[in-house]
DNA sequence: GAATTGAGGACAGGAACTGGCACCTGTCGT
DNA sequence: ACGACAGGTGCCAGTTCCTGTCCTCAATTC
């Protein structure tokens, strides 16, 4: 039957209490305050039964609060546990888009949880909604200069996450750092957010060893359907394993700079990607900023965007890059408005 | 047996089929594949009853798929409608953080939906989780240079959204553009995402007229508990009303530039905030970019971050700003590593 | 104090749920 | 091809639970 969501409609004679309870939950989530009479009418039951439904909800642990007297009503309050969320299509799409951007740029502790939640949603999301999410994803470049972290499509990300969760073997094509590509067949162990990227720790079934894969180099991952018994992981901490692996290859640039602004301001702006500590400056507030970047352009923009004076301390190469960008901006300012001019661009 | 959510406990004698159905849903969402026997055991019912539960779910519209034979099992597939999501605490926090950042930087069509979903979650979220969200929010500055959109705390944003949804009067302090602050008492009508900000369209009960308020200037909004009957809105399209209001005051800068890169690349990087169209360039690909910004620095960074040559066409003032930034970067590059130097900064 | 609105007990009829059993139907391994 | 496995279905009997109605309280507002 074409049930929209938890609601068969007028329900002429059917007295299915389970579905009704969910509808009630949905109604309570959709508006803060409801008069009992209206709820009863919407659910197609008597007021007495509505009260019984409320009792049921309360027994299940939902903090349904009621107000008596004139203008009384019911309301769902924050409680100990989170009730099941009943979302409509638009909300689900928004949720997926939001969660995805949260998963892309992993915040402290929420990355894994974001991914788990995202997997749950995507797994049960109708195909048409998934297409919407994919379409909107293109619009959610979180930061223009953050090209290092190209947004991953939802599908692959969650596909891998689900495979990890369910201990399902995985096949994909992988492009190594030196550009060679090849098919892989692995037993996925865990997804690790590190820096601004996701890494997959997995047991490579052909190389018979543990490997870590950069997720943005994983192409077309697909579960094989074959489940496996979890192996002894290569390290107690999967993140440590990945860190050890990538430390051997490309190490990110360690940037250190002195910025003529209070540390608080810098933290506010660059946030999680930098550490800032105030230093004594004889010319107004200043702070020392340390950050990691795997792209010089990124660091330049992050610092330049602060809008205050700064000096680069640590990687001398960065100065050349700064001059380069400065020159480019200078050219952009100097050129006439006419689009045709010297092709200095790449 | 000690089921976390949706379960009152062992329920000695009560045959709570509704709760069990939800638990089943939760289990199915938490793992892709389940053998029937295990599910039955977890739910404490016979396999026969489990099958009936599956039937129930299917009747409710959930696409439960089953696999027969050795190694068979059940799995919840994407279907026509979205089932209620059963999330744990961490996932809920991640969801709130993600949705909030999605709501902060409104993407095309998802802003309102994000906010709706966020309201639903926050409304029923236990206080301890709300504190976690608030704590994590600080870490989610979406883009360093995007200082224009200081992140709004979750509380106020959703408080206003809920008040709009439920037609509840609202009190708050408001700081006008010229710095005066005062208490307001309004009937909130709608939240409108415009540019990178939220505006509240509301009927001001003291000034007896419709006003639009910039949400980041709204302080400590709190619902009064008094509900009101919706008035005739000031305009069919709330967004138009806001647009008319702010057009009278500070109009954003219209930036036009020619960038030496394909339009597709620019769109990818600056995404939703700019329109780009390819133009014929005799020196490689080029495109004309139009964007709105209410901050010159923003525009400079957006363009500068593209990493390619460009020229500013439209606001001549922007060129001065470009030179200024270029000079600053040049100074940052030229200065010695020692932090002490001429205080050219502001 | 009256009106409103939720809380809760009692009751009777009826609907629905549960477990068990038999049997069918795909799927996979031997 | 055969058998084991696991889900699908029909049926039955017993029990439970749900629902609407009627009535009385309790809290809140005017």
């Amino acid at each position: 039957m074409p049930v929209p969501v938890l609601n068969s409609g007028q329900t002429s004679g059917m007295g299915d209490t389970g579905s009704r309870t969910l509808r009630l939950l949905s109604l309570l989530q959709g508006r803060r305050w409801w008069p009992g009479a209206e709820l009863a009418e919407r659910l197609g039951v008597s007021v007495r039964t509505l009260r019984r439904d409320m009792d049921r909800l309360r027994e299940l642990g939902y903090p349904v609060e009621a107000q008596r007297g004139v203008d009384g009503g019911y309301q769902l309050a924050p409680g100990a546990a989170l009730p099941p969320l009943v979302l409509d299509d638009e909300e689900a799409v928004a949720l997926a888009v939001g969660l995805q951007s949260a998963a892309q740029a992993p915040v402290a502790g929420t990355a894994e949880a974001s991914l788990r939640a995202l997997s749950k949603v995507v797994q049960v999301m109708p195909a048409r909604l998934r297409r919407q999410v994919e379409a909107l994803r293109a619009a959610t470049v979180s930061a223009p200069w953050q090209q290092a972290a190209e947004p991953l499509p939802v599908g692959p990300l969650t596909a891998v996450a689900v495979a990890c969760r369910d201990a399902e073997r995985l096949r994909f094509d992988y492009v190594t750092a030196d550009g060679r590509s090849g098919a892989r067949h692995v037993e996925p162990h865990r997804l690790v957010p590190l820096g601004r990227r996701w890494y997959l720790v997995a047991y490579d079934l052909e190389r018979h060893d543990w490997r870590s894969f950069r997720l943005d180099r994983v192409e077309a991952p697909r579960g094989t359907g074959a489940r496996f018994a979890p192996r002894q992981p290569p390290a107690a901490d999967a993140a440590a394993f990945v860190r050890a692996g990538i430390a051997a290859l490309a190490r990110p640039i360690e940037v250190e700079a002195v910025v003529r602004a209070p540390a608080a301001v810098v933290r506010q702006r660059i946030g999680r990607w930098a550490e800032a500590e105030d230093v004594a400056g004889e010319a107004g507030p200043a702070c020392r900023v340390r950050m990691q970047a795997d792209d010089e352009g990124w660091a330049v923009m992050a610092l330049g965007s602060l809008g205050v004076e700064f000096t680069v301390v640590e990687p001398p190469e960065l100065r050349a890059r700064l001059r380069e960008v400065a020159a480019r901006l200078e050219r952009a300012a100097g050129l006439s408005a006419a689009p045709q001019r010297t092709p200095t661009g790449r």
Side-chain angles (χ1 to χ4, degrees), chain A residues 15-345:
Chain A
D16 144 306
T17 73
S19 146
R20 196 186 56 234
T21 307
L22 276 182
R23 274 197 292 154
L24 178 54
L25 205 53
S26 163
L27 289 174
L28 286 174
Q29 280 173 14
R31 202 204 283 185
R32 189 203 280 280
W33 181 89
W34 286 93
E38 191 175 343
L39 282 177
E41 194 198 0
R42 290 220 183 198
L43 298 175
V45 295
S46 70
V47 185
R48 183 68 185 89
T49 299
L50 174 76
R51 270 199 275 277
R52 274 193 271 250
D53 282 355
M54 291 297 181
D55 286 345
R56 244 188 299 273
L57 279 183
R58 286 178 182 136
E59 273 174 21
L60 286 174
Y62 304 123
V64 178
E65 292 185 354
Q67 196 94 21
R68 305 199 212 200
V70 179
D71 223 39
Y74 293 90
Q75 107 180 54
L76 192 57
L82 204 71
L85 288 179
V86 186
L87 304 176
D88 63 31
D89 287 1
E90 283 188 349
E91 290 163 353
V93 170
L95 189 158
V97 172
L99 276 179
Q100 210 222 351
S101 67
Q104 296 288 347
V107 185
T110 63
E112 293 90 347
S114 296
L115 201 47
R116 277 210 312 277
L118 186 60
S119 304
K120 280 190 180 174
V121 182
V122 171
Q123 190 179 336
V124 293
M125 193 155 44
R128 64 173 197 289
L129 296 186
R130 219 176 303 176
R131 278 193 296 273
Q132 274 188 45
V133 173
E134 205 57 60
L136 280 171
R137 184 191 57 80
T140 61
V141 285
S142 56
W145 40 268
Q146 216 190 98
Q147 38 176 317
E150 313 97 16
L152 294 163
V154 192
L157 182 62
T158 55
V160 175
V162 166
C164 284
R165 189 187 68 186
D166 298 346
E168 185 181 348
R169 285 193 179 145
L170 204 59
R171 285 186 186 280
F172 54 85
D173 296 321
Y174 191 71
V175 184
T176 54
D178 48 345
R180 284 171 307 168
S181 110
R184 305 290 180 121
H185 189 197
V186 306
E187 294 182 349
H189 171 52
R190 189 151 301 182
L191 274 171
V192 179
L194 212 60
R196 299 192 309 288
R197 287 213 179 81
W198 283 100
Y199 295 87
L200 166 66
V201 175
Y203 186 86
D204 191 316
L205 287 169
E206 280 145 15
R207 287 159 188 77
H208 303 288
D209 197 8
W210 289 93
R211 296 289 155 96
S212 62
F213 302 93
R214 253 179 62 176
L215 204 56
D216 57 323
R217 290 184 171 153
V218 167
E219 292 274 341
R222 59 234 173 248
T224 64
R227 282 171 296 281
F228 61 90
R231 280 169 205 274
Q232 180 72 22
D237 181 11
F241 178 77
V242 175
R243 220 175 284 128
I246 60 177
L249 314 174
R251 205 174 42 269
I253 323 166
E254 288 275 347
V255 176
E256 183 175 344
V258 174
V259 177
R260 287 242 167 276
V265 171
V266 173
R267 266 187 228 110
Q268 162 89 29
R269 302 268 182 81
I270 318 195
R272 56 179 178 265
W273 294 304
E275 294 169 22
E277 53 172 346
D278 281 309
V279 296
E282 67 273 21
C287 66
R288 184 173 299 268
V289 175
R290 280 189 199 76
M291 51 194 275
Q292 299 192 345
D294 41 17
D295 180 8
E296 285 185 337
W298 190 89
V300 170
M301 282 306 144
L303 288 170
S305 67
L306 291 171
V308 298
E309 296 290 320
F310 65 94
T311 44
V312 169
V313 177
E314 198 32 53
E317 314 86 70
L318 199 57
R319 300 217 190 93
R321 186 58 177 267
L322 276 171
R323 286 206 192 84
E324 191 183 304
V325 175
R328 187 151 46 75
L329 293 186
E330 185 68 45
R331 280 196 299 278
L335 291 185
S336 81
Q340 54 276 33
R341 269 291 272 150
T342 162
T344 330

